[in-house]
Amino acid sequence: MQTGLRTGRISLQVQSEPVQSFSASFELKGTPERGELSLISPLGSVLGVLRWSPGEAVLDSGGGKVQRFSSVDELMAQATGAAVPVTALFAWLQGDNASVSGWTADLSRYAEGRITARRVQPAPPADLRVVLDQ
């Protein structure tokens, strides 16, 4: 897996009641096992930095607010509203249509820097969209 920096925009919509939406610019570096994901608002302020390594997952929301989680999936769920599968996300960002239970990825526009994925299980459904910087 690539360990270089990937940047772009990410959005996630969870079809819950009420619908939860999240979108931000991102900077992703590392691997599925050890990495860092910075989420940045449209105005350029850092919304949070997610860091993970074996046995540790941390969300730094700035201002000294740090939350610790038992897994990167739990961390992603807290930060974005749904447990985005980090291992599959790294694969999708490389153009590899990795399968993960409950998710279906569409890489048909990968050459344009666009990735979509849909979670059908567990409920509620969720839609993930990624636009990579070229």
Side-chain angles (χ1 to χ4, degrees):
M1 289 285 164
Q2 177 177 325
T3 59
L5 180 67
R6 299 301 304 249
T7 62
R9 293 180 309 282
I10 189 168
S11 69
L12 181 69
Q13 187 172 59
V14 181
Q15 305 300 322
S16 56
E17 283 296 328
V19 171
Q20 298 177 58
S21 291
F22 170 84
S23 63
S25 293
F26 73 89
E27 294 178 353
L28 176 67
K29 57 187 170 187
T31 66
E33 295 77 31
R34 183 181 308 272
E36 180 178 294
L37 173 64
S38 298
L39 300 171
I40 303 140
S41 78
L43 298 177
S45 61
V46 175
L47 299 170
V49 179
L50 295 70
R51 293 182 188 92
W52 60 92
S53 59
E56 181 178 49
V58 176
L59 171 59
D60 183 345
S61 301
K65 184 177 180 193
V66 176
Q67 296 173 277
R68 299 189 184 284
F69 300 90
S70 60
S71 71
V72 68
D73 288 338
E74 189 180 316
L75 168 66
M76 289 295 280
Q78 177 65 32
T80 65
V84 176
V86 172
T87 300
L89 179 61
F90 271 89
W92 298 337
L93 291 173
Q94 296 299 311
D96 175 6
N97 197 352
S99 72
V100 61
S101 180
W103 286 83
T104 304
D106 178 358
L107 304 182
S108 63
R109 295 183 65 197
Y110 178 78
E112 302 167 34
R114 296 182 178 273
I115 299 165
T116 60
R118 179 160 178 79
R119 181 185 74 187
V120 292
Q121 290 293 328
D127 292 298
L128 174 71
R129 298 188 190 291
V130 177
V131 178
L132 295 169
D133 293 337
Q134 298 297 332

